[in-house]
Amino acid sequence: MARHSTCYKQRLRKGLWSPEEDEKLIKHITKFGHGCWSSVPKLAGLQRCGKSCRLRWINYLRPDLKRGTFSQQEETLIVELHAVLGNKWSQIAAQLPGRTDNEIKNLWNSSIKKKLRQRGIDPNTHKPLSDVENEDKPSPRSNNKTHQQTILPSIENPSLETHEFFRNRFTTSHENANLASHTDTKHNNTDQFSGFLDFAYNQPPQPESSLLFGSSSNTDTSLSNPFQPTNWDTTTSLFDANNGFHNQVPLVGNESQPEDIKWNKYLQSPFMFGAIFGFGKPCLDHLAN
DNA sequence: AACGGGGACAACCGCCATGCA
DNA sequence: CTGCATGGCGGTTGTCCCCGT
């Protein structure tokens, strides 16, 4: 099969990493960087395949990892991003500094899914379970992935209902945030986003706005900004009119280039834009009604 | 104290996309 | 163009630990 040749050519260690192995990997990457992952185990003196080394570094040894339990804000953000992106764990992780896709995926599968179901929400569709049950069942031959692709709104192809909702949501939120001058959303992304940034950074911290964890009902949660993590550092987040929004994640090891996340393609979708401005409890409330 | 169930987390597996020879 | 090596991603499994019985 398409198994990585380096993984089976030799008898390589599998399973949990020992502290000694961790130390070797850290020392090597700190000193030389990872370069080509397939050469890392050899150079670092490890009986592992490069893929295993890469995973260990990314998910556990990287110095910029946050560790520890997820805050409620982080969980809320994950739910909101999942509603937009689906199981795109790496994209979701990109919005949560210090968190890995694996960590988020584990949290989703072990905890968040269950919480959503307990509250009567289908974790795949983010719709009330009763609605989902009434929808056409997937044919027995279709696997989960196929089903998900057909029922989850996507950036490229949001459902009509969802599209309309977010468009309306966006308009309302825009008005609430006194951003009327930026309401021509179809043709001026730069204005849209400068508006968004004004909005994002000038809002006072919002109380929890989550269907998951309850919320203060007298708060206009349409103003909450799911794209602003609690430890957001505005000095490292830039909007470039030519290239889009860059979210600089912390540097990894000795690497000098930050990972840029380009937002252009998302911004061109009213769907995503609505998500940015109006997501959170109002969205989920809408879906629950 | 022993045991079993469930949750949390780490790691592996298989597939896909990409770059390069 | 083709095949291979590699990196990256999402799904799944394995392992450990805690807690209730």
Side-chain angles (χ1 to χ4, degrees), chain A residues 76-148:
Chain A
T76 304
L77 181 58
I78 290 166
V79 172
E80 291 164 350
L81 289 168
H82 186 274
V84 180
L85 299 168
N87 293 0
K88 303 284 181 189
W89 305 117
S90 59
Q91 290 180 36
I92 293 172
Q95 303 312 314
L96 288 122
R99 300 298 189 182
T100 69
D101 53 356
N102 207 35
E103 226 177 345
I104 292 168
K105 182 170 57 183
N106 283 334
L107 181 74
W108 180 267
N109 287 327
S110 67
S111 172
I112 295 179
K113 251 180 165 177
K114 197 179 300 170
K115 288 181 186 173
L116 285 172
R117 284 207 186 94
Q118 281 169 358
R119 294 193 174 253
I121 298 165
D122 180 73
N124 291 322
T125 62
H126 295 259
K127 291 180 179 179
L129 282 169
S130 54
D131 284 8
V132 175
E133 284 160 11
N134 292 334
E135 283 178 5
D136 289 341
K137 297 272 190 288
S139 72
R141 304 181 82 178
S142 65
N143 59 26
N144 289 340
K145 199 170 187 177
T146 308
H147 180 214
Q148 193 173 335

Side-chain angles (χ1 to χ4, degrees), chain A residues 12-285:
Chain A
L12 299 173
R13 264 180 63 81
K14 285 170 69 174
L16 295 179
W17 281 63
S18 68
E20 291 75 24
E21 287 179 305
D22 282 345
E23 196 184 335
K24 282 181 181 176
L25 186 59
I26 291 170
K27 271 186 180 172
H28 175 79
I29 293 181
T30 306
K31 202 168 178 181
F32 304 107
H34 62 72
C36 174
W37 280 111
S38 61
S39 63
V40 165
K42 195 175 178 183
L43 296 171
L46 291 162
Q47 298 289 99
R48 297 269 181 177
C49 70
K51 202 171 179 176
S52 179
C53 293
R54 176 185 161 270
L55 213 62
R56 183 65 178 170
W57 176 257
I58 288 174
N59 287 334
Y60 199 82
L61 299 176
R62 260 163 53 195
D64 59 309
L65 290 179
K66 195 183 268 182
R67 321 291 317 160
T69 55
F70 281 75
S71 68
Q72 288 190 354
Q73 278 116 332
E74 284 177 308
E75 288 197 28
T76 304
L77 181 58
I78 290 166
V79 172
E80 291 164 350
L81 289 168
H82 186 274
V84 180
L85 299 168
N87 293 0
K88 303 284 181 189
W89 305 117
S90 59
Q91 290 180 36
I92 293 172
Q95 303 312 314
L96 288 122
R99 300 298 189 182
T100 69
D101 53 356
N102 207 35
E103 226 177 345
I104 292 168
K105 182 170 57 183
N106 283 334
L107 181 74
W108 180 267
N109 287 327
S110 67
S111 172
I112 295 179
K113 251 180 165 177
K114 197 179 300 170
K115 288 181 186 173
L116 285 172
R117 284 207 186 94
Q118 281 169 358
R119 294 193 174 253
I121 298 165
D122 180 73
N124 291 322
T125 62
H126 295 259
K127 291 180 179 179
L129 282 169
S130 54
D131 284 8
V132 175
E133 284 160 11
N134 292 334
E135 283 178 5
D136 289 341
K137 297 272 190 288
S139 72
R141 304 181 82 178
S142 65
N143 59 26
N144 289 340
K145 199 170 187 177
T146 308
H147 180 214
Q148 193 173 335
Q149 282 167 348
T150 60
I151 58 181
L152 258 185
S154 69
I155 288 163
E156 291 80 9
N157 187 28
S159 71
L160 191 61
E161 183 195 358
T162 315
H163 185 286
E164 276 303 301
F165 165 67
F166 281 123
R167 198 170 62 79
N168 295 337
R169 188 69 246 171
F170 167 64
T171 306
T172 307
S173 299
H174 236 186
E175 286 162 358
N176 286 345
N178 291 322
L179 294 170
S181 62
H182 301 299
T183 50
D184 180 10
T185 58
K186 280 201 171 172
H187 307 296
N188 195 336
N189 286 341
T190 306
D191 275 356
Q192 285 173 0
F193 229 85
S194 56
F196 167 59
L197 291 178
D198 283 345
F199 166 76
Y201 298 134
N202 293 325
Q203 289 300 317
Q206 296 294 317
E208 296 155 21
S209 59
S210 166
L211 192 60
L212 256 188
F213 308 103
S215 63
S216 48
S217 57
N218 59 347
T219 306
D220 181 359
T221 49
S222 67
L223 293 176
S224 67
N225 173 17
F227 281 74
Q228 187 171 357
T230 49
N231 59 347
W232 189 262
D233 179 1
T234 57
T235 62
T236 60
S237 298
L238 306 166
F239 180 71
D240 176 327
N242 294 320
N243 297 313
F245 187 63
H246 299 247
N247 179 16
Q248 294 188 355
V249 300
L251 298 180
V252 175
N254 292 338
E255 291 173 12
S256 58
Q257 295 302 313
E259 294 177 30
D260 283 353
I261 298 152
K262 303 246 168 112
W263 287 84
N264 290 23
K265 68 173 182 176
Y266 299 129
L267 292 177
Q268 287 168 16
S269 158
F271 173 74
M272 186 59 184
F273 219 77
I276 291 170
F277 277 88
F279 223 62
K281 184 173 182 298
C283 162
L284 298 174
D285 281 349

